[in-house]
Amino acid sequence: MRPDPVRRVLDAELTAARERRGGQPPRLLDVGGGSGVLAVPLAAAGAEVTVVEPSPNALATLDRRAEDAGVAHRITAVQGDSDALDQLVGPGFDLVIAHGVLEVVDDPKVTVAALAAAVAPGGAVSVVVANRFAAVIQRAISGKLTDARQLLDGPAVPGEPRRFDTVGLHTLLDDAGLTVHLVQGLGVLTDLVPGGVLESNLAAAEALADLEATAATMAPLRDIATRLHALARR
């Protein structure tokens, strides 16, 4: 099975950070990290992880998950919002993660500026966002043509999370003083292939994984992926 494309990028960043630190554990900040889906395995891989999360229930689950995995000593949980990030944590993190966060914050520019302020020179910011153009296609296919047109005209439908496109995401990171190193699509083709095509067909699943890996960084296919993953450096 192919490794998760996001985790592959994060692992490479943590390896590079460990080398810069002379073998010391890299420092990672997971903003909106929820119950530790990323934080716990990355702590198990040797990182010192700080999780900022507004939900006390999610943090309680994170505590249990970290204890069960034997990495509680490597995780610091902080309750709070990304809007107050500068008041909750200091700077100097080797890797700052904000996956599924920019869709719901009050002002993405303010949040990205806070992410950039938290990362150490030479470190990286990793963001994952929902893709606007993928949502346009999905709504058009399902017959929701008015919603599709609204999304085509702007980043959000009233009452729904904000969405981004490749150019807008790139600009958002650039404006925060970050240098975009990678933008890859997640679910470029996988989310479009009917499940029956892959059912009990290992060869087809492997062929799709290979196709997905190639399309992930190839415009314009990348630009219609369900989600976009960007890595930017300070």
Side-chain angles (χ1 to χ4, degrees), residues 206-217:
E206 184 61 28
L208 178 59
D210 181 68
L211 190 61
E212 182 76 24
T214 302
T217 56

Side-chain angles (χ1 to χ4, degrees), residues 22 153 202:
D153 291 339
L202 184 59

